[in-house]
Amino acid sequence: MKKIGLFILSVLAVSFSNAQDITDALRYSTNQLSGTARYRAMSGAFGALGGDLSAMATNPAGSAVFSTGEIAISLTSYNNDNDASYFGTATNASDSAFDIGQAGAVFVFDNTGNSDWTKFSLGFNYQNVNNFNDNLFVAGIGTTSVDQYFLTYAQGLDIANISAQPGESLTEAYIDIGRAFGFGHQQAFLGYESFILDLDPSGNGIDEYISNASYASGVDQEYSYATSDYNRKFTFNLAAQYKENLYLGLNLNSHVVDYRRSTFISEIGFDRVNDFSVTEIEFANELYTYGTGFSFQAGAIAKVNDDVRLGVSYQSPTWYRLNDELSQAVRVFTVDPVDINDPSLDFEDVVAPNVITLFDDYRLRTPGELTGSFAYIFGKQGLISFDYTRKDFGSAEFKQNTGFNAENTLISNSLKATNNYRLGAEYRIEAFSLRGGYRFEESPYENGSTIGDLTGFSVGAGYSFGGWKLDLAYDQAQQERNQQLFNVGLTDTAFVDNINSNVTLTLTLKL
C-alpha cells in the first residue's frame, strides 16, 4: 500500500500539545554504551581508571591520569536487529548505520613549582551517546483497530470542535482546531473527517461517537516504526592531580538532540456490514524532535596503593529544551451503499492536512546518577575494573507553561531507580592488549516488562606503535520490550527482542 506524501503548507503553533509522553522522557534519559574502542571493549567500566578520552564520560577526574596529551577519533558501525511477535505472527527488521562515534583531545600540564597540585589537564571530547537508528515491523491479526485511537480522543467532544465548518478546507480546519484546542482535538478531527467515526444516533443530544469499523474476527494489521539521527554530547573537561594519590575533575556538557520517528499502520479485513462500513485504514505519522541541553559532572579517583584505585562521580540531570514537529495523514476506504460486497466500488477518503504542526517548545529534566568504581592493577600486565551506577528514572520531569501533570505523575508511578553494573578487564602482552567486558542494566519500569533488563558483553584488542595506537572493539547488548502500537486506544503490544551490536575502531595519537 502506498504511503501518503506530505508537504508543508503552513506552520502551526499549539499552546498545549499532550503529544509528549513517558517514552520521550525515557529516550533522552537513557545513554547507550559509546566512546573509544578501548572503553567499549571493557563495557565502559572506567570510573576508577581514567587514562582514556571516553573515561571522562564516566568520571571527569580520569583525564588527570594521562601522563601525556592524546588525540583520539573513533569510527563506529551501528547495527540493530528486532525480532517481533504480534498475536502469534513473527517478523524481523534490522538497521545499520556508520558514524564518527567519538573525537577528542586532552592536554596535560605538569606543575614545575612547589605546589601540591602536581598536574593539570584540559580535555575536549565529542561523543554520540545515543544513535537512534532503529527499525521495527509488526504484522498480525489484531483484536483492536486503530479506530479506537480516534474514538478515545473524540468521546465527549463537541462536534463543532472536531469538524470542518462550511466553506472551510480540511487544512484550514486542522490548523484552526489545533490552535484553539490542541493535539487531542486534532486526532478526533482526523477520525471524524475520514469517516472512521460518526455521531452516535442514540447519544441523546450528547456528542458521543461510534466507530464505522467492524471486526468481529479481528483485523489484519501491519505496523512499521522507524527512527533515526542522534543524541550527541560535547564535553569540556578540567582535572587536576593532588600530590600522588588523588585526582579531581569537572565536566561541562552540551547536548544536541536530533530525532526522527516515522510510524505507519495499515489495516484491512474489516467486516462489510452496512453502507457506512470501513474496509481499510492507513494512518501515517512523522515526528521530528530537536533541541539542546546542558549537564555537568564532578568526580574523584583515589590511588589507595600501587594496585588499588577507587572512584566516585556524580552526573547531574540534563536540562533539555526541545521542540516537536508533527505531520499526519489518514487514508480510509468505505463501502459503496449500492453494493457493499463489491470491493471495487469502495470509496476512498484521504485526510492529509499537508501541515507540519510546530508545538511550543518544552523542557525535560532527565535523572542524575551516582557512580562508584573499583579497579585493581596487575602491574604492567593488566587490570580489572568494576562500576556501579544508581539512577532514578522516576525523577524525570517535563516542564512547560501549561504543565505536564498527568505525564509527570505517570513517570513517577511507572519508572523506578535502577542499579547498573559494568565489569571490564584488560591483559597486556608487550605492545598488544586483549580486553573484555560485561554490563547489566536494570529495567527502568516498575513492572520490569514494558522494557526488560539489558545485558551486554564486549571484546576487543589493541596494539601500540609507540607514538600512536589502534584499538578495535565489538560490543553487543540484548533487551526485550513489550511495545504498544499507540499510547491510547490501540494499546495492544508487540513483544520485541532487540539485539544491538557495534564495531568500533579508534586511532589514538600521543602529543
Side-chain angles (χ1 to χ4, degrees), residues 27-28 129 132 229-234 253-260 288-294 318-325 358-364:
R27 180 184 313 114
Y28 304 118
V129 297
F132 293 131
D229 289 345
Y230 50 79
N231 185 348
R232 304 190 191 275
K233 181 170 75 172
F234 299 86
N253 304 310
S254 175
H255 303 255
V256 178
V257 168
D258 226 23
Y259 172 76
R260 297 179 187 274
Y288 174 42
T289 301
Y290 55 93
T292 58
F294 170 79
T318 301
W319 294 273
Y320 284 108
R321 191 180 188 96
L322 301 171
N323 296 269
D324 285 351
E325 296 180 2
L358 176 62
F359 297 101
D360 277 356
D361 61 3
Y362 58 98
R363 297 181 181 182
L364 171 65

Side-chain angles (χ1 to χ4, degrees), residues 66-69 106-112 117-123 238-241:
F66 282 96
S67 56
T68 62
V106 63
F107 303 92
V108 179
F109 306 93
D110 292 322
N111 189 350
T112 57
W117 296 95
T118 59
K119 185 171 54 179
F120 297 89
S121 62
L122 189 65
L238 179 64
Q241 179 180 348

Side-chain angles (χ1 to χ4, degrees), residues 28-29 31 233 251-255 293-298 314-320 364-370 391-392 395-397 399:
Y28 304 118
S29 299
N31 293 333
K233 181 170 75 172
N251 285 349
L252 300 178
N253 304 310
S254 175
H255 303 255
F294 170 79
S295 69
F296 68 88
Q297 293 164 276
Y314 170 72
Q315 163 72 62
S316 77
T318 301
W319 294 273
Y320 284 108
L364 171 65
R365 187 195 67 203
T366 67
E369 60 186 63
L370 187 65
K391 187 173 186 177
D392 185 3
S395 66
E397 184 180 29
K399 291 185 178 180

Side-chain angles (χ1 to χ4, degrees), residues 185-223:
H185 281 67
Q186 285 180 317
Q187 306 316 291
F189 165 83
L190 294 174
Y192 181 77
E193 291 292 348
S194 63
F195 298 102
I196 296 174
L197 308 181
D198 208 346
L199 275 173
D200 186 347
S202 61
N204 299 320
I206 301 174
D207 286 341
E208 295 180 355
Y209 301 87
I210 58 172
S211 170
N212 290 321
S214 299
Y215 41 96
S217 300
V219 57
D220 190 349
Q221 298 172 318
E222 291 186 355
Y223 173 85

Side-chain angles (χ1 to χ4, degrees), residues 486-506:
F486 291 86
N487 290 326
V488 298
L490 178 49
T491 57
D492 291 334
T493 61
F495 174 78
V496 181
D497 184 6
N498 171 258
I499 295 179
N500 180 278
S501 55
N502 311 283
V503 178
T504 302
L505 177 68
T506 300

Side-chain angles (χ1 to χ4, degrees), residues 462-484:
Y463 191 87
S464 175
F465 296 88
W468 62 284
K469 59 181 179 178
L470 280 176
D471 296 295
L472 182 68
Y474 172 82
D475 64 270
Q476 184 183 106
Q478 182 176 15
Q479 190 170 42
E480 297 174 349
R481 67 181 187 267
N482 287 285
Q483 181 164 329
Q484 286 185 346

